[in-house]
Amino acid sequence: MVSTLAVAVNCIFLSVTLYKCSAYISEAVNLEQYLQPDVIKDRHYFSNTSCYRPCDESAAPKICYYKWVLKDFKTMGPACRNCPTNATDCFRYHCITADGYERGLITVNQQLPGPSVQVCYGDRIVIDVSNMLQGQTSSLHWHGLYQYGSPHMDGVPMITQCPIQGMTDFRYDFKAGNYGTMYWHSHDGFQKQDGIQGAFVVRTSKTLDPNGHLYDYDLASHVIFISDWMHSSATEHFPGLKTHQIFQRPQSILLNGRGRYEVTGNATTFPSAVFRVTPGKKYRFRLVGGMCTSCAYQFRVQQHELLVIAVDGNPTEPVLVDSIHMYGGERYDFVLEAVEEVKSYCIHVKTVGNCKFMGLYGMGVLRYIGEKSTTVLDPGYEGFHSGKVMNIYNGTCFNSDEGVCLDQLVSLLPVSKRLTALEPDVTVTLSFGFHVFTLEELFQPRLHQRYFEPRPNHLLTSLVNNISYVAPNAPLLTQREDIKSSLICPANHDGTSRCPQGSGGFCECTHLIRIPLGAVTQFVLVDRGFGGINHPFHLHGYSFNVIAMGNFENGQNKTDIIEDISRGKLKISQSPILKDTIAVPAQGYAVLRIYTDNPGYWFFHCHVLYHADTGMGVVLQVGDQTEMPRAPEGFPRCGDFTPPVYKTRHYWTP
């Protein structure tokens, strides 16, 4: 495919309020010469055409081109031939085993997870998406990429773009402007749960990586993508069934698209994902949390310690742990030293915390080269001793021998003193939870209220500050003038939103929070839900410094936390880590800070799919509309079609 663009606009970010832009003539690009393979293999690492390569800060960046087709597909299809009888057939192209249960799904290039993006810092990413899903729109979000200067590429329907209509193409074109372990996924409906997601890795040179000296290899084959899996489509779990495929519970846990399914005590014997290491070497593993439900998960490698060196793509002072608790949208990088006996070891992932009662677990294999067998003993749900836990469930880190909390980690990136000052410029409190409907309230004539049912007789919608977010009728970033003013929540004088007067206990509207450019902004996230859930909140366009987190004690409330920080009573790290997704402790809080240097409309939402899709999110408007980078000419537009209706209509006749 040859790009038809011959005129480009070059914009340089000068300050928090000014972009310097200049138009220049550019030669049309033949993108086919930059096309990357659908499946990245380690042998591609030294290929001249591959963007998966040793990263060199002195080398020119590359154009990395991908062609992705979104389409309906199935597990255990014809491509799998005699799998699992013939284990080799399970690894054929386009054979998706999942946990061996046959079901329909939606895919990118007939893969689960979808294609992995492996590039270097500074590369230009061009992804052509062809939506072949019958009767479905879509959009793709690049989770962890800041999109400096390109907010229209963030991929959120009706915030940064129109959804991609069925049978049409859309070109994503942006720079890999920050490095680390990222993640891409659909941001349209429940498509992420049904298969449209994958890993996105932006490497930098080892000399620029503050932890680069700690490992020998950083391979594409050592990306571990964890997802929870259901035996029916995600929409069948919305609002939630009571008698079968109940509520929003997963049936299995997949590692790189492979898992186990247990029926009456017998698990299917499908091949597990295998990760190979050479004895005596140190490997960087990249762990991606592609889970969509509200469960917490524990990751452990049999007989091996994990040296955590990065969280959500951001380097941290190394911490040695035995296991990691993680939630949907989080990523952890760790170094594993292959110093044990040459054999195969079990990689074990299980539900913990609020989902411990499910007894669900999945397995992979760590295989030492030289060991002929890839089979490992099934350790059952209990698995192995947890030992010291990174990001321990519910933020309980009083005993340092048991757990390490995120606010205890030390960033290896410089942190401005403004971000750790006692008083920020702006403080925004976000209290999230649920509104519980009665039957009488929910089912009334002409009322079509969305809700979900996570357990018997719980009819819920999700809230932030008593507002259930609904998307506007056109994208905020590109068509603000087309949005009905009645859809936007009323604004308070401080830039926050509220429900209209007389709305009762909650309301539905487009929840906007307006924040000026160049401000140190503090977010206090407060959980007032139930069920012991640690809601993972993800911020688009930024990583935030984790200032504090924990459980409320002795009658504390959000005001106490804010006052304790301003008085210096609550200790703040002078080198707080950067993350873009954080699991807020149940009935607890998390205090985050950003410096608003990236203008745009940025979604801030719970990463539990059913919570986000029923309103647990807000949009941060950073800067005024005039301060935001403009989308390119010809960018797709959408909106309502509701022309006036007159009493008399003249019909065309031939």
Side-chain angles (χ1 to χ4, degrees), residues 398-623:
F398 304 110
N399 187 339
S400 60
D401 292 331
E402 294 180 1
V404 179
C405 277
L406 298 175
D407 62 334
Q408 296 173 324
L409 299 179
V410 177
S411 175
L412 291 182
L413 297 176
V415 180
S416 167
K417 290 185 177 180
R418 284 189 64 188
L419 281 163
T420 56
L422 296 181
E423 289 287 352
D425 299 321
V426 177
T427 294
V428 176
T429 301
L430 302 176
S431 297
F432 56 88
F434 306 101
H435 176 79
V436 182
F437 292 105
T438 64
L439 289 173
E440 293 75 17
E441 182 184 10
L442 186 59
F443 302 111
Q444 299 180 30
R446 299 182 183 275
L447 180 66
H448 310 288
Q449 181 71 55
R450 62 182 177 175
Y451 73 95
F452 75 108
E453 192 173 4
R455 61 177 71 170
N457 303 316
H458 279 66
L459 310 174
L460 310 179
T461 195
S462 303
L463 308 172
V464 177
N465 293 354
N466 291 328
I467 299 172
S468 184
Y469 173 85
V470 291
N473 61 309
L476 286 160
L477 181 66
T478 58
Q479 295 178 240
R480 182 64 185 266
E481 69 282 359
D482 295 330
I483 297 174
K484 298 174 182 176
S485 59
S486 60
L487 295 177
I488 307 294
C489 303
N492 295 314
H493 69 278
D494 60 356
T496 60
S497 291
R498 56 177 171 80
C499 285
Q501 291 184 351
S503 59
F506 84 104
C507 63
E508 288 187 326
C509 49
T510 302
H511 192 170
L512 274 181
I513 296 177
R514 298 158 181 84
I515 302 171
L517 279 173
V520 173
T521 302
Q522 174 174 274
F523 298 97
V524 181
L525 274 58
V526 177
D527 174 42
R528 58 182 184 86
F530 50 81
I533 300 170
N534 288 197
H535 294 264
F537 265 76
H538 169 56
L539 176 59
H540 293 220
Y542 289 87
S543 285
F544 44 72
N545 289 105
V546 181
I547 300 299
M549 62 186 296
N551 307 104
F552 290 114
E553 299 177 5
N554 303 321
Q556 276 183 323
N557 57 37
K558 57 189 178 184
T559 303
D560 297 326
I561 298 300
I562 295 170
E563 291 179 352
D564 286 349
I565 290 175
S566 64
R567 294 171 182 168
K569 185 177 179 181
L570 186 61
K571 185 179 178 182
I572 296 176
S573 168
Q574 295 305 299
S575 299
I577 59 158
L578 281 168
K579 282 187 109 270
D580 56 57
T581 308
I582 189 166
V584 182
Q587 299 298 313
Y589 63 90
V591 184
L592 320 171
R593 285 185 183 175
I594 63 172
Y595 178 69
T596 55
D597 60 355
N598 192 12
Y601 290 92
W602 305 110
F603 206 22
F604 194 9
H605 63 98
C606 178
H607 223 261
V608 176
L609 198 56
Y610 295 93
H611 298 173
D613 277 19
T614 53
M616 193 174 286
V618 303
V619 177
L620 305 183
Q621 179 185 331
V622 178

Side-chain angles (χ1 to χ4, degrees), residues 35-36 64-68 116-119 125-128:
L35 184 62
Q36 301 301 299
C64 306
Y65 178 50
Y66 302 84
K67 285 183 176 180
W68 289 359
S116 178
V117 177
Q118 305 275 331
V119 299
I125 317 299
V126 181
I127 301 178
D128 282 346

Side-chain angles (χ1 to χ4, degrees), residues 40-48 50-55 203 206 217-220:
I40 302 291
K41 302 287 187 180
D42 286 339
R43 66 173 180 266
H44 297 142
Y45 192 58
F46 295 102
S47 168
N48 290 330
S50 176
C51 287
Y52 169 49
R53 65 195 191 278
C55 297
R203 290 179 175 81
K206 289 188 70 172
Y217 298 105
D218 176 13
L219 304 175

Side-chain angles (χ1 to χ4, degrees), residues 333-350:
D333 293 25
F334 63 86
V335 175
L336 182 144
E337 190 171 2
V339 293
E340 300 298 328
E341 179 185 350
V342 176
K343 65 176 187 177
S344 292
Y345 296 87
C346 178
I347 298 174
H348 192 265
V349 182
K350 68 177 181 180

